[in-house]
């Protein structure tokens, strides 16, 4: 049976629900994580990879991926302060109201990943939309083959969810490699671009499914590196970030060729996106 | 020597090289070992070796005023570094430091250059193996330069 919130969203998709900030955490120099509680008291249900439209009242609305655990806990968003809306959202504190429309879009292919090796490749804040998928992969570990997380960041101090990444590294059921673009003396990890990690990766291409999120340029080259490893273009999934406004495929702001990122994505196969990513005007 | 030939043949850089070439290259090779924190070479010194990593991790670094040593690339097993052996004035333009205990194959640059000069087939084969490494490094450097993960990314 549809929850009250889901029913309202279905009937009036442009009307935000009210939530309140429960907790705010600083995750990177320009990124904050907000834990939200729905004013209705209902639990917020979503699939890994979906996003919400968040309203900073009096400022505007922005599309933000959910970064929490879909099976447990509060609604969590991790937001980089880049524009007026996202800056306003990151400045909200405990008790402040926030508007939530969603969840929207097609998320990560968790069902297709079952029984396969999964390579998760994240760049910068791209780890946020992948985090719900990682929770699912690790929470239902027996359903999946080998799980690998490759994570690239600009600098060591800009590694988001650092404590959690360190925890994942310590687990025996996931391989985690972190690489940074630039490092000074106190960093003893990998330095270089995240595609380096793919070239060193041992994969069984026929068994592998990849989930990739990060800057579009990074995703293009990561996809090519995975294809070079023999992974099929149909088994590489990318989460796209475009200018989402209505989130229901009506306004056209996020249109990429024949697709609407908000409605048809944000997660697509590389097979589908490849010709579109090559068109610079798009 | 036979052992070095086997080690060279096993290294990805030499995969598929014909046996005769491996024998020739092995004549220029020796095992090298460095402990964590050891410098393998320093910027400005003569580039008289070319290295193949068997085990461990190596950091390539440039010191910048006010910032100390900045690592721009780390390498691991199966990779190579030190391509300055190939082009005059044969001088290192960065430091190489062992991040952990490293087992390397050090190829004597003068010896290898001599053998490549004497046998152009060997030289061409080595070039075909080095060029992808150089192209990949150039491409990766461009991506690092683009600063993709920044707030504009």
């Amino acid at each position: 049976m549809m929850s009250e919130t889901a029913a309202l969203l279905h009937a009036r998709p442009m009307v935000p629900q009210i939530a309140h900030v429960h907790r705010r955490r600083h995750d990177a120099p320009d990124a904050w994580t907000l834990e939200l509680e729905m004013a209705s008291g209902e639990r917020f249900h979503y699939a890994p990879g979906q996003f919400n439209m968040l309203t900073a009242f009096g400022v505007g609305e922005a599309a933000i991926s959910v970064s929490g655990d879909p099976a447990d806990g509060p609604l969590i968003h991790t937001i980089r302060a880049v524009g007026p809306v996202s800056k306003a959202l990151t400045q909200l504190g405990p008790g402040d109201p926030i508007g939530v429309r969603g969840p929207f879009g097609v998320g990560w292919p968790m069902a297709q990943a079952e029984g396969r090796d999964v390579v998760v490749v994240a760049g910068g804040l791209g780890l946020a939309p992948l985090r719900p998928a990682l929770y699912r992969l690790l929470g239902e570990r027996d359903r999946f083959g080998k799980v690998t997380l490759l994570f690239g960041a600009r600098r060591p101090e800009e590694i988001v969810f650092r404590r959690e990444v360190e925890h994942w590294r310590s687990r025996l059921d996931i391989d985690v490699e972190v690489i940074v673009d630039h490092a000074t003396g106190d960093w003893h990890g990998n330095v270089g671009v995240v595609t380096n990690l793919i070239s060193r990766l041992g994969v069984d291409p026929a068994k592998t499914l990849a989930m990739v999120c990060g800057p579009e340029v990074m995703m293009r080259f990561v996809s090519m590196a995975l294809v070079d490893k023999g992974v099929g273009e149909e088994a590489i999934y990318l989460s796209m970030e475009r200018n989402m406004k209505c989130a229901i495929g009506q306004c056209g702001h996020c249109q990429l060729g024949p697709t609407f990122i908000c409605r048809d994505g944000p997660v697509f196969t590389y097979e589908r996106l490849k010709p579109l990513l090559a068109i610079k005007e798009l | 020597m036979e052992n070095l030939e086997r080690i060279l043949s096993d290294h990805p850089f030499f995969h598929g090289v014909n046996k005769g070439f491996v024998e020739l290259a092995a004549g220029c090779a020796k095992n090298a070992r460095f402990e964590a924190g050891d410098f393998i070479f320093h910027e400005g010194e003569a580039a008289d070796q070319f290295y193949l990593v068997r085990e461990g991790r190596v950091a390539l670094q440039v010191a910048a005023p006010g910032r100390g040593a900045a690592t721009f690339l780390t390498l691991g097993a199966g990779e190579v570094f030190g391509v300055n052996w190939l082009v005059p004035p044969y001088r290192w333009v960065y430091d190489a430091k062992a991040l952990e205990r490293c087992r390397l194959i050090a190829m004597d640059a003068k010896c290898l250059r001599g053998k490549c000069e004497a046998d152009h087939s060997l030289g061409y084969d080595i070039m075909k193996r080095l060029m992808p490494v150089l192209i990949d490094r150039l491409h990766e450097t461009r991506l690092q330069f683009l600063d993709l993960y920044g707030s504009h990314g």
Side-chain angles (χ1 to χ4, degrees):
Chain A
M1 187 176 161
M2 203 180 275
S3 73
E4 192 181 322
T5 305
L8 190 59
L9 176 71
H10 184 70
R12 298 162 67 192
M14 296 302 286
V15 177
Q17 302 301 296
I18 303 297
H20 291 93
V21 176
H22 176 60
R23 199 174 293 164
R24 174 180 183 262
R25 193 181 66 234
H26 194 195
D27 261 309
D30 56 355
W32 281 262
T33 291
L34 301 182
E35 290 184 17
L36 307 180
E37 286 178 341
M38 303 307 293
S40 66
E42 288 183 54
R43 200 170 123 58
F44 192 91
H45 295 278
Y46 63 95
Q50 286 192 301
F51 68 95
N52 283 322
M53 299 300 297
L54 298 185
T55 304
F57 291 109
V59 185
E61 202 181 37
I64 310 286
S65 296
V66 188
S67 64
D69 185 346
D72 190 25
L75 174 62
I76 296 180
H77 285 280
T78 302
I79 306 162
R80 170 176 272 158
V82 285
V85 178
S86 56
K87 278 182 183 156
L89 288 169
T90 57
Q91 284 164 14
L92 296 175
D96 285 340
I98 187 169
V100 179
R101 281 200 301 128
F104 293 114
V106 178
W108 299 109
M110 303 311 301
Q112 293 93 318
E114 288 195 20
R116 305 180 72 167
D117 294 343
V118 182
V119 178
V120 177
V121 189
L125 206 63
L127 184 57
L130 284 163
R131 204 164 70 136
L134 284 159
Y135 285 131
R136 178 70 62 82
L137 291 167
L138 295 174
E140 300 173 13
R141 189 64 191 83
D142 293 345
R143 292 177 181 268
F144 307 96
K146 185 180 169 190
V147 177
T148 306
L149 168 63
L150 308 178
F151 178 29
R154 181 159 59 169
R155 299 179 189 283
E157 59 271 27
E158 294 179 38
I159 294 171
V160 289
F161 314 123
R162 188 173 188 136
R163 202 175 295 175
E164 198 161 33
V165 171
E166 284 170 2
H167 168 67
W168 289 334
R169 278 186 73 121
S170 70
R171 290 178 62 136
L172 299 175
D173 56 357
I174 177 172
D175 291 330
V176 177
E177 288 287 346
V178 180
I179 193 163
V180 298
D181 272 353
H182 309 282
T184 45
D186 54 349
W187 172 258
H188 296 285
N190 298 306
V191 179
V193 291
V194 75
T195 46
N196 278 352
L197 300 179
I198 294 169
S199 62
R200 299 172 198 169
L201 190 67
V203 293
D204 179 348
K207 274 185 69 183
T208 299
L209 182 144
M211 303 179 188
V212 187
C213 188
E216 209 169 296
V217 180
M218 167 237 156
M219 291 199 290
R220 288 206 319 261
F221 287 111
V222 163
S223 300
M224 283 190 255
L226 288 165
V227 169
D228 290 345
K229 281 277 180 185
V231 180
E233 292 177 355
E234 74 291 344
I236 301 169
Y237 290 80
L238 317 179
S239 181
M240 295 293 290
E241 187 180 329
R242 290 273 168 148
N243 186 23
M244 266 96 92
K245 292 290 183 193
C246 72
I248 54 175
Q250 291 190 352
C251 74
H253 278 88
C254 67
Q255 192 171 356
L256 180 67
T259 66
F260 291 87
I261 301 297
C262 69
R263 184 193 63 195
D264 306 324
V267 175
F268 298 90
T269 64
Y270 179 56
E271 182 180 39
R272 185 168 173 189
L273 285 183
K274 188 180 168 186
L276 299 172
L277 292 175
I279 303 170
K280 290 172 178 57
E281 289 75 17
L282 290 175
Chain B
M1 191 63 75
E2 195 178 332
N3 192 36
L4 269 174
E5 284 168 24
R6 184 186 53 76
I7 291 168
L8 280 185
S9 302
D10 287 346
H11 194 280
F13 186 76
F14 278 97
H15 277 176
V17 173
N18 78 46
K19 197 168 182 298
F21 283 1
V22 173
E23 279 174 21
L24 278 172
C28 302
K30 65 177 182 187
N31 280 302
R33 180 173 154 153
F34 295 88
E35 299 299 324
D38 286 353
F39 279 90
I40 299 161
F41 54 74
H42 285 98
E43 177 187 321
E45 293 173 351
D48 50 8
Q49 310 272 357
F50 166 56
Y51 293 97
L52 288 70
V53 185
R54 295 178 62 199
E55 281 178 23
R57 290 169 59 249
V58 175
L60 306 186
Q61 302 179 328
V62 172
R67 288 175 52 195
T71 300
F72 60 89
L73 185 66
T74 53
L75 300 162
E79 297 184 288
V80 301
F81 65 100
V83 292
N84 304 70
W85 70 276
L86 198 60
V87 185
Y90 312 123
R91 185 182 302 130
W92 301 125
V93 291
Y94 47 80
D95 300 333
K97 184 180 178 182
L99 290 174
E100 53 200 53
R101 179 176 291 177
C102 288
R103 293 172 70 202
L104 311 174
I105 295 290
M107 308 287 295
D108 182 289
K110 197 171 174 184
C111 168
L112 198 56
R113 284 197 299 265
K115 290 194 175 177
C116 289
E117 200 60 54
D119 183 341
H120 286 185
S121 294
L122 171 67
Y124 182 58
D125 200 321
I126 298 255
M127 284 296 169
K128 280 198 294 184
R129 288 159 195 278
L130 273 176
M131 283 310 289
V133 175
L134 293 171
I135 295 295
D136 284 349
R137 300 261 161 94
L138 177 61
H139 171 64
E140 289 158 6
T141 303
R142 284 170 175 158
L143 290 181
Q144 281 173 284
F145 179 74
L146 284 172
D147 195 17
L148 294 176
Y149 308 128
S151 54
H152 49 79

